[in-house]
Amino acid sequence: MRGISILLKLLLLVTMIIATMVNSVPLNYGDALTKSILFFEGQRSGYLPASQRMTWRKNSALKDGSDIGVRMDGGYYDAGDNVKFHFPMAFTTTMLAWSVIEFGDLMGPDLQHAIEAIRWGTDYFLKATKDPNVVIAQIGDPNSDHGCWERPEDMDTSRKTYVVTTSKPGSEVSAEIAAALAASSIALRKSDGRYSRALLLRAKLVFDFANNHRGSYNDSIGDGACPFYCDFNGYMDELVWGAAWLYKASNDKTYWNFVKSNIQSLGSLSEFGWDSKHAGINVLISEVSRVMNDPSNQNPFILNANNLICSLLPNSPTKAVTYSKGGLLFKPGSSNLQHVTSYSFLLIVYARYMQVNHKTINCGSVVAKPTDLIDLAKSQVNYVLGNNPLGMSYMVGYGLKFPQKIHHRASTMPSIDVYPKHIGCRDGDKYFELQSPNINQLTGAIVGGPAEDDSFQDSRFNVSQSEPTTYINAPFVGVLAYFKQSKS
């Protein structure tokens, strides 16, 4: 019995050593960056270009917009469904552009693919804003779409076009599109000056439409937006966000004055994502207006940005988030990795602004240096890529162990190359219910992520954990570019 006991202890020790080795494997940020950008090709709608690398995806939704006599092919599917929700799509495009603005010089050969991902969004938004006083806010009836499990190439669900107008406004979706166009005009300035100028001009027109005809798209398009992408905190944050990007893109003081006069009307200054732009506004403006040079440190944008950082740092007395035992940041709600990637982006961007201006942050008794912010972001990146209790990467196709049964229609069903026959509304159910891995690998997709106890259910049925979204990936592009080159 004693020998068995010793043997069991040895086995346990070996298991622990192996687990430790698995959970702290060296990470290849460059490989992750390449794959994080490739993911967007799997989300493309419309006519796919000859350069398409994710070849199991094919042309889809080619008649979008035909119900109102416009051509609206293109754009991105937001997640594992086949609807083009323009509100989160615009935020995705804004964050891709911000990633290139801040970190494009670190991307190497991936920069061109990042630019292509941005232009896939902006080409589409130029179509959506072509007519004055009309902004196309969404394509596809989400209730019809969510009742089917179909490839995007086969869709026969309603492709209803939702629009916002002067009489039925949608300030949040319109202002976010304006932000996306303005940010992209900066990101694309070096590669295509003429296109960049066209984006900025359109951004100004769309912002004016959003600001002059105020109202929520929740009311104007009803169940097209809700409960899927309701705006829960009003549209003023999008208006201020749009003005901030227009100021950065144009240096027009009109937009700066708009930001200054409206920033105090915003609440919940620590939120950032497709719905809430508050924290992003303060981090962006801290650099745009050079307010960080204020020796008194009393500028409201700096105070707000500093408070954001203090709400995130694990040892801060004003911490407002939680961390799992494995070290992952958590906020209430589903698809938690959307918070992880967005906050990691802001942490790095703000740390770089702090470094340039030789600043630290006082969080009560804790003094935070730029390196503290970067270390926190790096811990989150490393967790996502595999340094976690399960030794699992939450990016599909990265590492040896990653989610195999993600909640994503196109990924679960055979490509048209393999099965050219039409797959109807409920015909895809048999693929959804399979216990085997998805047929097609959506390389680079970051899923919703683990539960707060660090567990993960690799199941298509667990939407919150297993569904990827474009707005989870978009901030991570910049984050990975930074760590690809950083010596931190």
Side-chain angles (χ1 to χ4, degrees):
M1 294 296 291
R2 178 178 172 81
I4 294 175
S5 176
I6 293 173
L7 180 60
L8 287 174
K9 288 180 180 179
L10 285 172
L11 287 173
L12 179 61
L13 179 62
V14 170
T15 302
M16 291 173 65
I17 292 172
I18 292 173
T20 301
M21 292 172 61
V22 169
N23 296 350
S24 59
V25 293
L27 300 175
N28 186 331
Y29 300 117
D31 182 45
L33 171 64
T34 298
K35 289 172 177 173
S36 71
I37 299 172
L38 176 61
F39 158 73
F40 289 94
E41 296 189 16
Q43 298 301 110
R44 285 173 171 171
S45 181
Y47 291 94
L48 302 185
S51 60
Q52 174 81 7
R53 294 174 295 166
M54 201 168 285
T55 55
W56 54 265
R57 280 296 327 283
K58 305 297 177 183
N59 298 340
S60 62
L62 304 182
K63 296 182 180 179
D64 279 359
S66 60
D67 58 328
I68 61 169
V70 298
R71 181 175 173 178
M72 284 301 299
D73 53 294
Y76 290 108
Y77 304 116
D78 74 297
D81 54 24
N82 299 324
V83 182
K84 295 190 295 193
F85 293 100
H86 294 188
F87 191 25
M89 190 197 301
F91 176 71
T92 292
T93 306
T94 305
M95 293 308 298
L96 282 171
W98 200 0
S99 292
V100 166
I101 292 167
E102 295 286 344
F103 306 108
D105 59 336
L106 306 179
M107 291 182 181
D110 289 306
L111 175 60
Q112 183 55 42
H113 294 300
I115 288 173
E116 290 169 5
I118 294 168
R119 289 192 68 143
W120 195 265
T122 53
D123 284 351
Y124 182 73
F125 285 126
L126 289 175
K127 294 180 183 179
T129 58
K130 185 177 181 179
D131 295 328
N133 296 323
V134 172
V135 168
I136 296 176
Q138 185 171 308
I139 303 284
D141 174 5
N143 297 288
S144 172
D145 179 89
H146 285 70
C148 294
W149 195 262
E150 285 184 297
R151 299 181 294 197
E153 294 84 358
D154 285 331
M155 280 187 292
D156 47 22
T157 53
S158 170
R159 299 302 291 173
K160 179 179 179 180
T161 302
Y162 297 84
V163 299
V164 293
T165 64
T166 55
S167 59
K168 290 187 175 182
S171 294
E172 58 276 272
V173 63
S174 303
E176 186 60 60
I177 291 174
L181 294 170
S184 299
S185 76
I186 304 170
L188 304 179
R189 195 171 284 163
K190 291 182 181 179
S191 60
D192 192 335
R194 183 175 180 180
Y195 185 74
S196 169
R197 290 188 292 273
L199 293 179
L200 181 56
L201 177 60
R202 183 66 59 83
K204 293 178 178 180
L205 296 174
V206 177
F207 178 81
D208 287 343
F209 169 76
N211 186 37
N212 295 335
H213 306 283
R214 295 187 181 185
S216 175
Y217 92 140
N218 292 357
D219 302 321
S220 297
I221 71 173
D223 63 1
C226 295
F228 308 97
Y229 287 103
C230 293
D231 179 20
F232 290 102
N233 61 2
Y235 51 75
M236 276 309 302
D237 58 319
E238 278 78 33
L239 286 172
V240 176
W241 175 244
W245 276 110
L246 277 162
Y247 175 58
K248 183 174 175 67
S250 68
N251 205 32
D252 184 335
K253 291 295 178 64
T254 303
Y255 299 112
W256 172 230
N257 291 334
F258 184 95
V259 173
K260 287 194 297 182
S261 61
N262 288 285
I263 189 65
Q264 299 296 354
S265 68
L266 303 182
S268 186
L269 296 173
S270 63
E271 298 294 327
F272 188 56
W274 63 263
D275 182 30
S276 302
K277 311 308 182 310
H278 307 73
I281 293 166
N282 289 297
V283 170
L284 176 65
I285 288 296
S286 71
E287 188 274 338
V288 169
S289 62
R290 308 296 187 265
V291 295
M292 204 173 266
N293 293 324
D294 179 0
S296 71
N297 283 332
Q298 294 304 304
N299 186 285
F301 300 104
I302 296 300
L303 290 174
N304 291 336
N306 288 352
N307 288 337
L308 164 71
I309 301 306
C310 292
S311 77
L312 299 177
L313 292 174
N315 60 342
S316 168
T318 56
K319 182 185 67 172
V321 298
T322 59
Y323 287 87
S324 69
K325 288 184 178 180
L328 187 66
L329 180 152
F330 272 85
K331 286 180 69 70
S334 61
S335 299
N336 182 66
L337 288 188
Q338 67 181 303
H339 305 303
V340 173
T341 61
S342 293
Y343 284 128
S344 294
F345 182 91
L346 294 185
L347 283 165
I348 295 171
V349 170
Y350 199 60
R352 298 215 306 173
Y353 297 165
M354 289 171 63
Q355 287 172 334
V356 169
N357 293 279
H358 309 289
K359 296 285 186 178
T360 58
I361 300 172
N362 291 318
C363 302
S365 58
V366 174
V367 177
K369 304 181 295 298
T371 52
D372 296 321
L373 280 64
I374 292 170
D375 288 345
L376 174 56
K378 190 171 186 178
S379 73
Q380 301 305 295
V381 173
N382 291 354
Y383 186 111
V384 172
L385 294 182
N387 284 356
N388 55 60
L390 297 181
M392 167 174 275
S393 160
Y394 291 102
M395 176 185 286
V396 174
Y398 178 87
L400 299 177
K401 181 181 179 184
F402 51 84
Q404 302 284 339
K405 291 175 273 189
I406 67 173
H407 184 94
H408 189 276
R409 286 161 175 76
S411 177
T412 62
M413 289 180 273
S415 171
I416 286 178
D417 283 340
V418 176
Y419 188 87
K421 295 181 180 179
H422 179 82
I423 299 177
C425 174
R426 304 303 333 173
D427 295 336
D429 291 358
K430 63 182 180 181
Y431 298 105
F432 178 87
E433 295 167 359
L434 289 173
Q435 294 302 307
S436 54
N438 286 12
I439 294 173
N440 302 304
Q441 182 172 291
L442 188 63
T443 302
I446 303 173
V447 297
E452 201 162 357
D453 63 358
D454 296 305
S455 66
F456 179 74
Q457 184 181 10
D458 190 5
S459 168
R460 301 176 195 102
F461 290 92
N462 193 329
V463 181
S464 175
Q465 290 192 334
S466 70
E467 186 172 26
T469 71
T470 57
Y471 48 87
I472 295 177
N473 268 65
F476 218 52
V477 169
V479 171
L480 291 168
Y482 174 79
F483 285 115
K484 173 186 174 183
Q485 296 293 337
S486 172
K487 304 299 182 184
S488 300

